[in-house]
Amino acid sequence: MKDFPVNPNEREIIIAVDEDFTYRLKYDPDIKFFIPLEEKCIFVCPVDNVGLPPILKPLIRPYNVYIRSPFDDMQYFHWKDAIYQIPRIKHEYFLTLCGLLGARSAKIEEAINEKTNSKWTWKVDVGLPIAKGEGSIEKEYIEKLMSLLSIEKKWNKRPQNIERAEAFLVEKKLIGDPIFFTLLEEVKWNPNIEKYKIRIDISREINERLSVLVKLNLQKFDIDINYIKNLIKYNNYVLQVEVVF
């Protein structure tokens, strides 16, 4: 097995095994799995003998699957956490961008499933999501996800910092995201903007990575492929956000 890749694109997904993995295959063939040749983003990580970066050593455990944040080369989440944390981080970075662009507030008006047109809103007084959609798996997932999001954020009025905002998007690998870039350009060329409504896709990045996982047969690993398949079916959420400058 090869060393820990320097290129983050070669380790977007880490499948962690122990030092005795090859030996154990002789006695437990069910732990064997197949990685399609076209999937270059998976790294099979023998945690006992690979040169893991110190920041990852406390995290990676054998027979678990980890997903790298698309916004940070060295931030990984167990797949059970990644399905919530990657969308949450993207939303938080959008709020950071709004603050750098001189916004006074940014508020989620509703979450919309673009595939089913299910919509989720919030009670202003308690901040809890109110379902307008159906489906127990979807309901459980979206309620937990929305409970992790900042529904509204306010800032003291301050000058726009276009250069810093652009540098932030480059650092977090979001300069190519059309929604983030469009807001940056809108404020850059229309500094007197007062209100802006925008839809943020919070599902694309995690769905891309989950779609790779469903191609693998990881029977003896801590991963629920059937749940992931169901999640991909309905996880097409955007956040309708109102930004006030």
Side-chain angles (χ1 to χ4, degrees):
M1 297 181 184
K2 62 180 182 180
D3 294 334
F4 190 80
V6 175
N7 183 353
N9 295 327
E10 297 178 4
R11 48 178 170 82
E12 290 186 8
I13 295 173
I14 287 180
I15 300 175
V17 298
D18 58 21
E19 189 174 8
D20 296 328
F21 176 73
T22 303
Y23 176 77
R24 290 181 60 185
L25 282 173
K26 299 177 183 179
Y27 304 96
D28 188 359
D30 287 342
I31 69 174
K32 187 176 181 179
F33 56 88
F34 172 75
I35 301 176
L37 291 175
E38 69 271 15
E39 300 301 344
K40 308 296 184 182
C41 64
I42 300 173
F43 174 53
V44 180
C45 178
V47 299
D48 299 319
N49 59 15
V50 76
L52 274 174
I55 193 173
L56 296 181
K57 285 184 178 180
L59 170 67
I60 307 298
R61 292 290 180 266
Y63 300 94
N64 287 277
V65 178
Y66 302 89
I67 298 177
R68 182 178 67 82
S69 167
F71 319 116
D72 189 323
D73 290 349
M74 296 303 295
Q75 186 176 36
Y76 283 83
F77 299 101
H78 189 282
W79 75 267
K80 292 178 182 179
D81 298 321
I83 61 177
Y84 299 106
Q85 294 302 327
I86 289 177
R88 179 194 66 78
I89 290 171
K90 186 173 185 179
H91 173 58
E92 290 294 334
Y93 286 165
F94 178 79
L95 294 180
T96 300
L97 174 65
C98 291
L100 292 171
L101 293 176
R104 289 185 294 156
S105 68
K107 178 176 66 176
I108 299 176
E109 296 182 322
E110 60 184 2
I112 305 166
N113 187 321
E114 292 194 315
K115 180 177 287 187
T116 65
N117 204 34
S118 301
K119 297 182 179 180
W120 301 73
T121 57
W122 283 262
K123 286 182 179 180
V124 176
D125 54 343
V126 294
L128 296 176
I130 304 301
K132 293 184 181 178
E134 298 180 356
S136 58
I137 295 178
E138 178 180 13
K139 184 175 185 292
E140 177 185 357
Y141 174 74
I142 195 63
E143 285 187 352
K144 182 173 179 178
L145 176 59
M146 295 305 139
S147 70
L148 297 174
L149 300 182
S150 299
I151 307 306
E152 183 173 9
K153 194 164 187 176
K154 297 182 179 181
W155 298 269
N156 294 326
K157 185 62 178 177
R158 53 184 174 179
Q160 302 162 355
N161 193 330
I162 301 296
E163 290 185 2
R164 190 177 175 193
E166 188 167 0
F168 174 75
L169 292 186
V170 171
E171 177 186 335
K172 299 305 179 183
K173 309 179 191 301
L174 283 163
I175 194 67
D177 187 290
I179 300 303
F180 285 68
F181 187 73
T182 297
L183 178 59
L184 175 71
E185 290 292 287
E186 180 69 33
V187 175
K188 180 190 296 186
W189 300 109
N190 185 14
N192 295 320
I193 187 173
E194 295 182 355
K195 186 179 292 186
Y196 193 84
K197 289 196 176 185
I198 197 167
R199 286 188 173 188
I200 310 167
D201 184 344
I202 57 170
S203 300
R204 177 174 57 85
E205 289 84 1
I206 187 61
N207 279 353
E208 288 175 351
R209 286 147 183 83
L210 294 179
S211 296
V212 175
L213 288 182
V214 298
K215 299 178 183 180
L216 311 179
N217 183 21
L218 300 168
Q219 297 183 37
K220 291 298 183 73
F221 288 72
D222 183 18
I223 186 166
D224 188 340
I225 296 296
N226 288 328
Y227 176 80
I228 291 175
K229 288 179 178 179
N230 288 326
L231 184 62
I232 293 172
K233 287 181 181 179
Y234 64 74
N235 187 24
N236 292 273
Y237 279 97
V238 296
L239 301 178
Q240 174 84 21
V241 181
E242 180 185 77
V243 186
V244 177
F245 293 88

